Amino acid sequence: MLDRSPSEIAREAFKRLAEKRLPPTPENYQTLYHEVAGTLPPAHFPSESLRQIAAAMPARNPGQEKQLGLLESAIGQRSWDKVEAALVAYGSFAVGPSSFAALEPVAAGPEPDAATVLVLEQVARLIECAQPALGKEDARFAEQTAEVLQLLRRPQLQLRDARSVLGNYALRLSFAAEDQAEIRNGLLSLLNLVFENIGELCVDDRWMRGQIDALRSAATPPLNLRRLDDVERRLKDVIFKQTEAKGRAYEAQLQMRQLLATFVDRLSLMTESSSTYHSKIEQCARQIEQATSLEELGPVLQEAIAATRAMARDTVHSRDELQAMRAKTQEAEAAITKLHVELDRVSALARHDALTGVLNRRGLDETLQREVATARRKSQALCVSLLDVDNFKRLNDQLGHDAGDNALQHLTEVARMAIRPQDSLARYGGEEFVIVLPDTVLADAIAILTRLQRELTTRYFLNGKDKVLITFSAGVAQLGDEEAVADALKRADAAMYLAKRTGKNRVLGG
């Protein structure tokens, strides 16, 4: 039987199913299939019975409702372990008098020692500090939190009871934190979707796209107040200059309309004057033809000369007005051009990191897209390097966050001097940076990163009067012919972590 193919076994199983006149249920087919194949059927999993039990279980609060959903998923996966976990968690969300308050007062016994009281108080304060991050939407959870805090500060609470209280509360806390994280991620996704849609609608407005890029960058985790404040400042600058540019453009449009209106008026006057002049000249011509003496010609000539002078004065006056309007229009155009240049500069800041001035993730994506296209068009090598500052958390803890920021600025300054003009430096997040090295093979890219490490050993970071040595671990990857940039960055990231694990302050190829 073992040498038969699965299709042959399946056909034989269907044949026996018909011969025995059994209902064509999955269970009957599975039994006959293993009978034909000569294998043992898997242990029976009562899916339908479990689903009936789950349907009969009440969902009196969000915790129980969520666990019933997990139970349904576990039944669909035929996983006893997940079924057990869902049922245990469901039971912890008992409804009615609080399971925390259900603890009976302990009998008089030895007082807990001072260390235990201090630890319990620290745990209570930790719970209080965590509450603002969990929101106030779940009133039931807020009540449970108040009960836990009251119990933890009970004078005669024993460690055994404290462990039970904290165990139950930790489960509820995990679901509350998970819900807040999902809400936060959902809101960020919605914001990014709105920004993306606005950006698509403003495809021809490069200044608006600069603002949208800045907002999308600000809404990309990890978030921090410094980053949001800086983006707000830059957006206000862009909005102010954009409003000013629109005002100037409106003024220029008014001046242009005035120029055209004046030009049309002058043309009309010139046409009217020209018609009057021609009529006057024709009249003078007829008088000259009828004149029989020089005395009769004198007044006619004076009249023709006066008409010619008036025509010349009107022409000069119209020319002067048109030239003045043209000069004003040129001044307005020059001012608008200057504002456009400034707007381009401010919008470009949306692609740079506020702290270090190097490219941010948005600017990095654009640079990678451009360099990859160039490398493949010219059949050139392209390397990407991911570097991470060693022991940065310890530096922050010992010297403070301001010193940490200054250290990152020092690193980028040294990096700009050490890398080549065609290379691009970007902040990837936190203390991680990416260097894009066009027209560079792997061995040369590793040499460039190693040279940067040597520069950092000679250029100490000064924190006040103290010299602080900054080192980094880096991974380098050369982009394959058909490889996606994201895959190359993953290889560089893996090499960087290997450099971290093997001693730090190293550069490894991935």
Side-chain angles (χ1 to χ4, degrees):
M1 294 288 183
L2 296 178
D3 57 350
R4 301 176 67 177
S5 66
S7 60
E8 292 175 338
I9 297 174
R11 284 196 296 270
E12 180 65 24
F14 278 117
K15 182 178 178 181
R16 294 191 183 184
L17 194 67
E19 290 174 350
K20 295 183 179 182
R21 297 183 180 180
L22 296 174
T25 62
E27 291 77 10
N28 290 336
Y29 171 74
Q30 185 182 56
T31 302
L32 291 175
Y33 183 93
H34 286 284
E35 179 182 315
V36 174
T39 56
L40 294 175
H44 177 64
F45 189 89
S47 301
E48 293 303 321
S49 299
L50 288 174
R51 285 195 175 93
Q52 291 176 3
I53 294 173
M57 295 170 66
R60 297 193 178 94
N61 55 53
Q64 289 184 340
E65 183 178 355
K66 184 170 185 177
Q67 292 308 315
L68 287 177
L70 294 176
L71 177 59
E72 184 67 29
S73 176
I75 295 171
Q77 300 175 33
R78 305 173 67 87
S79 172
W80 281 113
D81 292 338
K82 292 182 179 180
V83 168
E84 180 183 1
L87 289 174
V88 171
Y90 173 89
S92 66
F93 285 95
V95 180
S98 172
S99 58
F100 304 137
L103 290 177
E104 296 294 334
V106 296
E111 293 287 336
D113 58 82
T116 301
V117 173
L118 180 60
V119 169
L120 293 177
E121 176 60 26
Q122 292 294 331
V123 172
R125 293 173 64 180
L126 178 63
I127 293 174
E128 288 176 333
C129 293
Q131 292 315 296
L134 298 175
K136 300 179 180 179
E137 294 81 6
D138 191 342
R140 178 59 182 160
F141 178 70
E143 294 175 2
Q144 293 171 345
T145 300
E147 293 170 359
V148 168
L149 293 174
Q150 181 180 1
L151 287 169
L152 289 176
R153 287 168 173 152
R154 182 191 294 177
Q156 294 184 340
L157 181 66
Q158 300 299 310
L159 282 178
R160 173 179 54 81
D161 297 332
R163 183 171 59 185
S164 175
V165 168
L166 291 175
N168 291 331
Y169 183 72
L171 187 61
R172 289 170 170 79
L173 182 64
S174 67
F175 286 112
E178 183 180 342
D179 287 341
Q180 289 299 316
E182 291 178 358
I183 292 172
R184 175 175 174 273
N185 292 333
L187 288 175
L188 288 177
S189 297
L190 288 176
L191 281 175
N192 277 293
L193 183 60
V194 170
F195 298 152
E196 183 177 352
N197 289 338
I198 294 176
E200 292 298 327
L201 294 175
C202 304
V203 66
D204 295 328
D205 192 336
R206 63 182 183 277
W207 303 318
M208 180 62 74
R209 287 196 64 84
Q211 296 182 45
I212 295 302
D213 291 341
L215 288 172
R216 292 179 66 180
S217 175
T220 302
L223 302 178
N224 57 68
L225 293 178
R226 179 194 293 272
R227 185 177 179 186
L228 293 176
D229 289 343
D230 180 74
V231 171
E232 180 182 7
R233 176 184 59 79
R234 283 186 284 150
L235 283 178
K236 287 181 178 178
D237 192 15
V238 173
I239 293 170
F240 171 76
K241 286 183 168 55
Q242 193 170 17
T243 303
E244 186 178 2
K246 288 183 177 179
R248 293 290 184 86
Y250 181 70
E251 292 176 4
Q253 291 173 359
L254 286 178
Q255 290 183 0
M256 184 63 70
R257 285 196 290 266
Q258 291 174 2
L259 175 63
L260 291 174
T262 303
F263 182 69
V264 171
D265 290 342
R266 289 307 170 201
L267 281 178
S268 177
L269 291 173
M270 289 174 66
T271 301
E272 183 179 348
S273 299
S274 178
S275 299
T276 303
Y277 176 71
H278 285 301
S279 298
K280 179 65 70 175
I281 293 299
E282 287 178 1
Q283 182 182 354
C284 290
R286 286 193 299 270
Q287 290 176 355
I288 291 172
E289 290 176 354
Q290 297 172 1
T292 58
S293 64
L294 291 175
E295 288 77 7
E296 293 178 355
L297 292 175
V300 175
L301 291 175
Q302 289 294 331
E303 189 175 352
I305 291 171
T308 302
R309 285 177 176 172
M311 180 67 179
R313 284 195 301 271
D314 288 343
T315 302
V316 171
H317 181 67
S318 297
R319 183 199 63 191
D320 291 343
E321 284 190 349
L322 290 173
Q323 286 180 343
M325 292 297 295
R326 180 182 179 184
K328 290 181 179 179
T329 303
Q330 289 176 341
E331 291 177 1
E333 288 178 351
I336 290 175
T337 301
K338 183 178 179 181
L339 283 171
H340 287 184
V341 172
E342 179 65 14
L343 278 169
D344 288 339
R345 185 191 67 80
V346 175
S347 296
L349 293 178
R351 291 167 174 79
H352 288 76
D353 177 60
L355 175 65
T356 61
V358 301
L359 295 173
N360 60 14
R361 291 290 289 269
R362 177 71 178 179
L364 173 63
D365 291 342
E366 294 178 356
T367 299
L368 285 171
Q369 185 177 6
R370 182 181 65 251
E371 294 296 347
V372 169
T374 301
R376 287 180 174 162
R377 185 176 65 254
K378 297 182 178 180
S379 299
Q380 295 176 342
L382 176 69
C383 284
V384 290
S385 174
L386 184 65
L387 63 90
D388 183 273
V389 179
D390 295 327
N391 305 316
F392 186 72
K393 183 179 183 302
R394 186 172 64 189
L395 186 149
N396 263 337
D397 293 341
Q398 293 179 350
L399 304 181
H401 289 285
D402 288 341
D405 290 345
N406 294 334
L408 294 180
Q409 292 172 339
H410 173 77
L411 170 64
T412 56
E413 291 173 1
V414 176
R416 282 169 171 159
M417 292 185 292
I419 63 178
R420 304 165 304 177
Q422 66 266 34
D423 300 331
S424 300
L425 176 63
R427 189 176 182 187
Y428 200 60
E431 66 273 20
E432 290 186 337
F433 294 84
V434 169
I435 300 179
V436 183
L437 303 111
D439 195 15
T440 308
V441 297
L442 182 61
D444 293 340
I446 292 175
I448 292 172
L449 269 294
T450 303
R451 182 172 69 245
L452 172 57
Q453 284 185 325
R454 288 198 301 268
E455 286 294 324
L456 283 172
T457 60
T458 60
R459 299 175 183 270
Y460 285 94
F461 164 59
L462 293 177
N463 182 48
K465 295 183 179 179
D466 299 328
K467 292 182 178 180
V468 180
L469 176 62
I470 298 176
T471 64
F472 65 82
S473 302
V476 185
Q478 181 174 335
L479 185 68
D481 293 339
E482 302 295 333
E483 185 180 21
V485 177
D487 293 334
L489 284 172
K490 287 180 182 179
R491 291 195 290 114
D493 182 65
M496 182 267 289
Y497 274 102
L498 181 59
K500 286 275 189 186
R501 290 194 299 267
T502 55
K504 302 181 180 180
N505 196 23
R506 302 185 63 189
V507 179
L508 296 179

PDB file of all heavy atoms in Angstrom, residues 24 69 251 265 281 285 353 406 444 468:
ATOM      1  N   PRO A  24     -20.840  11.010   2.978  1.00  0.00           N
ATOM      2  CA  PRO A  24     -19.545  11.568   2.533  1.00  0.00           C
ATOM      3  C   PRO A  24     -19.070  12.718   3.417  1.00  0.00           C
ATOM      4  O   PRO A  24     -18.848  13.848   2.955  1.00  0.00           O
ATOM      5  CB  PRO A  24     -19.861  12.038   1.107  1.00  0.00           C
ATOM      6  CG  PRO A  24     -21.307  12.396   1.143  1.00  0.00           C
ATOM      7  CD  PRO A  24     -21.953  11.421   2.090  1.00  0.00           C
ATOM      8  N   GLY A  69     -13.233  34.998  20.651  1.00  0.00           N
ATOM      9  CA  GLY A  69     -12.718  35.064  19.285  1.00  0.00           C
ATOM     10  C   GLY A  69     -11.462  34.229  19.119  1.00  0.00           C
ATOM     11  O   GLY A  69     -11.291  33.530  18.107  1.00  0.00           O
ATOM     12  N   GLU A 251      -0.673  90.021  -6.320  1.00  0.00           N
ATOM     13  CA  GLU A 251      -0.305  91.401  -6.661  1.00  0.00           C
ATOM     14  C   GLU A 251       0.220  91.486  -8.088  1.00  0.00           C
ATOM     15  O   GLU A 251      -0.113  92.421  -8.836  1.00  0.00           O
ATOM     16  CB  GLU A 251       0.747  91.921  -5.685  1.00  0.00           C
ATOM     17  CG  GLU A 251       0.224  92.121  -4.267  1.00  0.00           C
ATOM     18  CD  GLU A 251       1.333  92.544  -3.318  1.00  0.00           C
ATOM     19  OE1 GLU A 251       2.477  92.756  -3.801  1.00  0.00           O
ATOM     20  OE2 GLU A 251       1.072  92.676  -2.118  1.00  0.00           O
ATOM     21  N   ASP A 265      -6.386 100.668 -23.116  1.00  0.00           N
ATOM     22  CA  ASP A 265      -6.856 102.060 -23.108  1.00  0.00           C
ATOM     23  C   ASP A 265      -5.986 102.936 -23.998  1.00  0.00           C
ATOM     24  O   ASP A 265      -6.502 103.779 -24.761  1.00  0.00           O
ATOM     25  CB  ASP A 265      -6.857 102.605 -21.678  1.00  0.00           C
ATOM     26  CG  ASP A 265      -7.927 101.962 -20.821  1.00  0.00           C
ATOM     27  OD1 ASP A 265      -8.861 101.378 -21.402  1.00  0.00           O
ATOM     28  OD2 ASP A 265      -7.818 102.027 -19.578  1.00  0.00           O
ATOM     29  N   ILE A 281      -5.443 116.078 -40.700  1.00  0.00           N
ATOM     30  CA  ILE A 281      -4.501 116.174 -41.808  1.00  0.00           C
ATOM     31  C   ILE A 281      -5.239 116.200 -43.150  1.00  0.00           C
ATOM     32  O   ILE A 281      -4.882 116.957 -44.069  1.00  0.00           O
ATOM     33  CB  ILE A 281      -3.501 115.003 -41.758  1.00  0.00           C
ATOM     34  CG1 ILE A 281      -2.591 115.121 -40.516  1.00  0.00           C
ATOM     35  CG2 ILE A 281      -2.642 114.958 -43.025  1.00  0.00           C
ATOM     36  CD1 ILE A 281      -1.743 116.372 -40.483  1.00  0.00           C
ATOM     37  N   ALA A 285      -5.170 119.020 -45.850  1.00  0.00           N
ATOM     38  CA  ALA A 285      -4.807 118.762 -47.249  1.00  0.00           C
ATOM     39  C   ALA A 285      -5.819 119.409 -48.200  1.00  0.00           C
ATOM     40  O   ALA A 285      -5.446 119.989 -49.236  1.00  0.00           O
ATOM     41  CB  ALA A 285      -4.722 117.267 -47.494  1.00  0.00           C
ATOM     42  N   ASP A 353      16.830  65.110   8.215  1.00  0.00           N
ATOM     43  CA  ASP A 353      16.640  64.893   9.643  1.00  0.00           C
ATOM     44  C   ASP A 353      16.840  66.196  10.402  1.00  0.00           C
ATOM     45  O   ASP A 353      17.798  66.940  10.143  1.00  0.00           O
ATOM     46  CB  ASP A 353      17.630  63.831  10.127  1.00  0.00           C
ATOM     47  CG  ASP A 353      17.529  63.607  11.613  1.00  0.00           C
ATOM     48  OD1 ASP A 353      16.449  63.226  12.086  1.00  0.00           O
ATOM     49  OD2 ASP A 353      18.541  63.834  12.312  1.00  0.00           O
ATOM     50  N   ASN A 406      24.188  65.460  20.800  1.00  0.00           N
ATOM     51  CA  ASN A 406      25.440  66.077  20.334  1.00  0.00           C
ATOM     52  C   ASN A 406      26.396  65.031  19.767  1.00  0.00           C
ATOM     53  O   ASN A 406      27.136  65.300  18.807  1.00  0.00           O
ATOM     54  CB  ASN A 406      26.109  66.842  21.471  1.00  0.00           C
ATOM     55  CG  ASN A 406      25.288  68.029  21.920  1.00  0.00           C
ATOM     56  OD1 ASN A 406      24.495  68.579  21.143  1.00  0.00           O
ATOM     57  ND2 ASN A 406      25.443  68.433  23.173  1.00  0.00           N
ATOM     58  N   ASP A 444      35.681  47.863  -1.491  1.00  0.00           N
ATOM     59  CA  ASP A 444      35.946  49.300  -1.366  1.00  0.00           C
ATOM     60  C   ASP A 444      34.990  49.947  -0.371  1.00  0.00           C
ATOM     61  O   ASP A 444      35.382  50.862   0.368  1.00  0.00           O
ATOM     62  CB  ASP A 444      35.809  49.972  -2.729  1.00  0.00           C
ATOM     63  CG  ASP A 444      36.888  49.534  -3.710  1.00  0.00           C
ATOM     64  OD1 ASP A 444      37.931  49.023  -3.244  1.00  0.00           O
ATOM     65  OD2 ASP A 444      36.694  49.684  -4.926  1.00  0.00           O
ATOM     66  N   VAL A 468      35.151  61.836  24.702  1.00  0.00           N
ATOM     67  CA  VAL A 468      34.372  60.600  24.646  1.00  0.00           C
ATOM     68  C   VAL A 468      34.624  59.937  23.297  1.00  0.00           C
ATOM     69  O   VAL A 468      34.460  60.560  22.246  1.00  0.00           O
ATOM     70  CB  VAL A 468      32.870  60.872  24.828  1.00  0.00           C
ATOM     71  CG1 VAL A 468      32.083  59.571  24.768  1.00  0.00           C
ATOM     72  CG2 VAL A 468      32.604  61.599  26.145  1.00  0.00           C
TER      73      VAL A 468
END
